[in-house]
Amino acid sequence: MSKEQEHSQEHASLIKTPQQLIVTVVLSFVIPIIIILMLVNMVVSQGRSGAGSNALTPDAITKRIAPVAGFDFVDITAPKVFKTGEQVFASVCTSCHAAGVAGAPKVGDNAAWAPRIKEGYEAMLNIALHGKGAMPAKGGNPSLSDYEIARAVVFMANKSGGSLPEPAAPAPEGGGQAAGAAPQGGAQAAAPAAGQTAQAQPAPAQAGAAQTPPASPGNATAAAAAPAQQAPSAQAAPASQPAAQGATAQAAVNPAGEKLYKSTCFACHSTGVAGAPKFGDKSAWDKYIQTGEDAMVKVAITGKGAMPPKGGAANASEDDIRAAVRYMVNAAK
């Protein structure tokens, strides 16, 4: 009997209560599921870099592949739309004047702005245009016009206890008025020439009558009058030449050239950066002028040295580039 009892105890089950049975059944389902999920996650994560982090989120990918520098393409032939003072402040001035970096007076700090406002609007504008200390000229954006910088100065001063009036908008560029004046002058020059031509038209008929044998004294009078009537037609040609020369000179002045220079070429040619011939420097431009206008236009379009193609104005046409070259060349003569 003792041997049978020992044998039965050796084969007894570990589950002795209903609670143990329930726990065992639950674990038999849960543990395999957990193992399967872990295996699937391990297989899937092997082909991913930065798994378990936010490195592959759409926002993170967009920031990672974004270009280092941003570019705004502007149509140089479109009418100029000036930025407001607040817009200029938000794009250029806020980096320093919002927090008072490098000694810049913080916008809204009346005590810091009081001595500057006391110096006057012209003094503040001069500093903003030409720079001072750590602040570069025009806040580091040379494409801004003097009027836009003036609006930004007034905006910051008025936000800091000042009461400066809004600067007056600049007058429209004279290109439209000059172009409109040429047709008037041309019309005035053409009117006498047209009148003289009308007077000269009867001359051939009179000349034809003069070729016939004079049958009466009246024919002799008509023949004598023919050279006198032909004289105005000879005078019409010299009178029309100055008008044509004036129209040619007017056509050579293209306002798009000045506009392209002030928006793009100004950055290098105003100070002679990277060996660029300085605007208005006759000696610096002389060797380029000797190569001819076509050669200079070709260099401006294709680029040379530090100058990018078209000076960086990708939307500029060949006519715009030629106009800008003429504008700079005329300033150096």
Side-chain angles (χ1 to χ4, degrees), residues 30-92:
V30 173
I31 292 176
I33 293 174
I34 294 175
I35 294 174
I36 292 172
L37 292 176
M38 293 177 64
L39 291 174
V40 170
N41 186 48
M42 182 181 66
V43 172
V44 173
S45 63
Q46 285 180 353
R48 294 189 304 171
S49 60
S53 66
N54 295 328
L56 297 178
T57 61
D59 292 340
I61 295 174
T62 302
K63 292 179 180 179
R64 188 162 57 249
I65 66 176
V68 176
F71 298 93
D72 293 330
F73 293 98
V74 180
D75 186 2
I76 61 173
T77 61
K80 174 67 174 178
V81 178
F82 295 105
K83 294 182 179 180
T84 64
E86 185 175 3
Q87 290 173 336
V88 176
F89 169 77
S91 62
V92 178

Side-chain angles (χ1 to χ4, degrees), residues 79 88 98 184 190 212 247 277 317 322 333:
V88 176
Q184 295 179 0
T212 58
S317 64
R322 186 175 296 274
K333 289 184 178 179

Side-chain angles (χ1 to χ4, degrees), residues 133-285:
M135 183 181 72
K138 293 187 176 182
N141 187 357
S143 64
L144 293 173
S145 65
D146 293 356
Y147 172 61
E148 291 171 320
I149 295 296
R151 298 181 86 176
V153 170
V154 171
F155 171 79
M156 291 187 290
N158 290 345
K159 285 287 185 178
S160 308
S163 58
L164 301 177
E166 183 70 13
E173 295 183 358
Q177 297 177 355
Q184 295 179 0
Q188 293 175 358
Q196 294 173 358
T197 304
Q199 294 177 2
Q201 287 177 354
Q206 298 292 341
Q211 292 175 359
T212 58
S216 63
N219 290 335
T221 304
Q229 292 178 351
Q230 291 176 353
S233 64
Q235 296 175 358
S240 62
Q241 289 178 359
Q245 293 175 356
T248 303
Q250 185 65 30
V253 180
N254 189 346
E258 182 179 1
K259 195 169 186 179
L260 178 59
Y261 167 78
K262 290 183 177 179
S263 62
T264 304
C265 313
F266 163 84
C268 295
H269 286 281
S270 63
T271 56
V273 176
K278 189 176 180 181
F279 184 79
D281 188 344
K282 184 177 180 180
S283 60
W285 277 93

Side-chain angles (χ1 to χ4, degrees), residues 252-253 289 323 325-333:
V253 180
I289 295 174
V325 169
R326 287 180 180 175
Y327 174 74
M328 291 186 283
V329 168
N330 289 338
K333 289 184 178 179

